Amino acid sequence: MVDEDDDDNFELPDLPIYDKGPPPDCPICGDPMKFIDGDWACVDCNGELLGPETG
C-alpha cells in the first residue's frame, strides 16, 4: 500500500542561476535581445510567434 502523504513530503533542489552576461544585439533590428524560455530572443522581431508551442 502506498502512503499518499509521501507525495507531499519532498523538496526540489535549488536551480543554479548562471550569469548570462549582457544581452546580445538582435541580428535583424540591432536592439538588445531578452532572455526568454532559456534562450536569447528579440520580442519585436519574433512578434506573436514567440513562446511555447500551443498545438
Side-chain angles (χ1 to χ4, degrees), residues 2-43:
V2 176
D3 187 12
E4 292 180 16
D5 290 333
D6 286 342
D7 289 340
D8 296 330
N9 293 330
F10 67 92
E11 291 186 22
L12 295 174
D14 291 335
L15 293 175
I17 298 174
Y18 300 107
D19 182 17
K20 299 178 293 292
D25 292 336
C26 174
I28 298 170
C29 69
D31 289 340
M33 294 195 286
K34 295 184 180 177
F35 198 71
I36 301 171
D37 290 336
D39 200 7
W40 293 109
C42 181
V43 179

Side-chain angles (χ1 to χ4, degrees), residues 51-55:
E53 295 277 338
T54 57

